[in-house]
Amino acid sequence: MVYYTDNQYFTHLKTAQKLKTIFGQIPDFRRSHKQLYDLESILLIGIISVICGADSWNEMENYANSKEEFLSSFLDLPNGIPSHDTFNRVFSNIDSDQFEKCFIQWVSDLAQLQPREIIAIDGKTIRGAKAGGKKSPVHMVSAWANDNNLVLGQVKVSEKSNEITAIPELLKALSIENTIVTIDAMGCQTEIAKAIVNKNADYILAVKDNQPQLLEHIEDEFRFGKTMESNLVQELDHGRIETRTCSVIDNFQFIEKTNNWENLTSVIKIESKREFKNSEKPAQHAIRYYISSIKASSQDFQKAIRSHWSIENKLHWTLDVAFSEDASRKRTGNSTQNFSILNKIALNLLKNEKSSKIGVKSRRLKAGWDNHYLIEVLNLMKV
């Protein structure tokens, strides 16, 4: 027996219909006379089962069988629940590019990006997806909206390419007007800076040895420049004292005004010192440099650059711990890429459900046990 109010049931149906409408745009690769289940139902069961803790095709089938009455209340399942082989075949063969486009469309309905919100872009490797004979595992580049706590989109890095070519493809698909995009040194490329500015956004890009001339000019700015503004932050955490000094120069002497970096306005230097209390470990020192298209205070840059690492803590770490993504051994066809999208759909919904003060892994379990809570999670989708 399913227990929920009429109002919950009605909204629940509208939510399912909205999801079906968006993801129903994905073309069906199957022959019509062999279809026992419509594609939208398979996709929705996949999404819901992953929200509820399923990490494999067998677990999808097991979850759906245990919740068949609940799922039948809003899905047409005349032939019962699909088998794990059906889930595997469908998610291994549906068009990943189209699935990603639908995901980005869905998130754009859900997200309410704030002015000057930090959009962090970074790559993540799914190591378990390395297939026999392949030189490297699957690598994804994702965009994370810091204030919204949402994955905005992802693009798979081609085996014959790298993040430099994947990032522009991701930027092209996103709506990021009036935000600040942060990327590590891999993304410090003139074409990527131009692509961000062309989307009416700004950038903060890390600079390392892959841009030797730019790095040399920035080092000269901070070595000989006379006008800079600084901000110091000190934090005590887990027996460590970390001191970070952020310095900013926006009146260049050594960087040519006619350079190829679109709208280059500021250069930033972060000096960090990490000391260990009650330990004989020596202090750790590091210096990092950045370029940006915005003019801001050192305090604002300090906060923005620090916010970039939320993509590691809130996205990549959570995918590995709560969704066991790095251990996933899905390799057939498009299965790795498509299951990664399922994980990110689930993560977006679970992270933004505010009634339960528990971790994402526990929220997955609760959604699987409690239909009331699952409906609350699903209802985060605008209807």
Side-chain angles (χ1 to χ4, degrees), residues 127-159:
R127 303 186 188 281
K130 182 177 180 180
K134 287 190 176 181
K135 294 182 179 180
S136 61
V138 174
H139 194 75
M140 303 287 184
V141 174
S142 302
W144 174 262
N146 190 58
D147 292 340
N148 271 260
N149 247 3
L150 288 172
V151 191
L152 298 181
Q154 73 166 37
V155 169
K156 180 183 176 183
V157 178
S158 169
E159 291 181 16

Side-chain angles (χ1 to χ4, degrees), residues 269-301:
K269 176 182 180 181
I270 300 283
E271 298 176 87
S272 64
K273 180 182 179 182
R274 182 176 292 180
E275 302 169 278
F276 301 89
K277 295 182 65 178
N278 305 319
S279 172
E280 297 181 357
K281 293 175 64 175
Q284 298 175 351
H285 298 263
I287 297 177
R288 301 186 301 276
Y289 295 102
Y290 302 83
I291 58 173
S292 179
S293 60
I294 59 176
K295 185 173 184 178
S297 68
S298 56
Q299 183 177 2
D300 289 338
F301 276 120

Side-chain angles (χ1 to χ4, degrees), residues 120-362:
I121 293 180
D122 196 23
K124 179 183 183 296
T125 300
I126 305 176
R127 303 186 188 281
K130 182 177 180 180
K134 287 190 176 181
K135 294 182 179 180
S136 61
V138 174
H139 194 75
M140 303 287 184
V141 174
S142 302
W144 174 262
N146 190 58
D147 292 340
N148 271 260
N149 247 3
L150 288 172
V151 191
L152 298 181
Q154 73 166 37
V155 169
K156 180 183 176 183
V157 178
S158 169
E159 291 181 16
K160 297 182 179 180
S161 180
N162 55 37
E163 291 184 22
I164 295 174
T165 55
I167 291 171
E169 291 301 313
L170 180 58
L171 289 169
K172 190 184 301 182
L174 299 177
S175 297
I176 54 172
E177 293 80 8
N178 199 26
T179 64
I180 300 171
V181 178
T182 61
I183 315 177
D184 64 15
M186 177 65 78
C188 188
Q189 306 290 329
T190 55
E191 291 304 310
I192 289 176
K194 185 178 296 184
I196 293 169
V197 172
N198 287 342
K199 297 285 288 191
N200 296 317
D202 284 295
Y203 61 81
I204 301 175
L205 306 178
V207 182
K208 290 186 179 179
D209 292 337
N210 62 327
Q211 294 288 347
Q213 186 179 48
L214 176 63
L215 179 60
E216 181 183 349
H217 289 172
I218 294 173
E219 289 173 336
D220 287 343
E221 288 288 350
F222 285 100
R223 186 179 296 117
F224 304 112
K226 296 180 180 179
T227 56
M228 70 179 73
E229 191 240 335
S230 298
N231 171 260
L232 185 145
V233 171
Q234 193 170 68
E235 294 178 349
L236 173 61
D237 185 37
H238 298 295
R240 299 190 301 265
I241 301 173
E242 184 170 5
T243 305
R244 295 189 303 278
T245 303
C246 176
S247 303
V248 180
I249 295 176
D250 53 33
N251 184 19
F252 306 142
Q253 298 180 42
F254 299 94
I255 299 176
E256 296 179 5
K257 296 292 185 181
T258 57
N259 66 79
N260 295 322
W261 296 95
E262 195 82 6
N263 289 5
L264 176 56
T265 302
S266 303
V267 293
I268 306 101
K269 176 182 180 181
I270 300 283
E271 298 176 87
S272 64
K273 180 182 179 182
R274 182 176 292 180
E275 302 169 278
F276 301 89
K277 295 182 65 178
N278 305 319
S279 172
E280 297 181 357
K281 293 175 64 175
Q284 298 175 351
H285 298 263
I287 297 177
R288 301 186 301 276
Y289 295 102
Y290 302 83
I291 58 173
S292 179
S293 60
I294 59 176
K295 185 173 184 178
S297 68
S298 56
Q299 183 177 2
D300 289 338
F301 276 120
Q302 180 99 264
K303 182 180 178 181
I305 291 169
R306 190 69 172 169
S307 295
H308 173 80
W309 300 109
S310 65
I311 193 171
E312 292 285 349
N313 302 326
K314 295 183 179 181
L315 176 57
H316 296 163
W317 184 85
T318 304
L319 287 172
D320 286 340
V321 172
F323 292 84
S324 303
E325 184 172 85
D326 201 37
S328 172
R329 298 179 67 81
K330 300 172 188 68
R331 300 166 177 170
T332 306
N334 299 328
S335 59
T336 303
Q337 191 172 353
N338 289 333
F339 209 94
S340 179
I341 297 172
L342 292 177
N343 284 339
K344 290 178 172 71
I345 293 171
L347 179 65
N348 278 350
L349 290 172
L350 290 164
K351 267 193 170 291
N352 286 277
E353 200 294 302
K354 305 299 185 184
S355 68
S356 293
K357 306 301 180 184
I358 54 178
V360 171
K361 191 170 184 177
S362 296

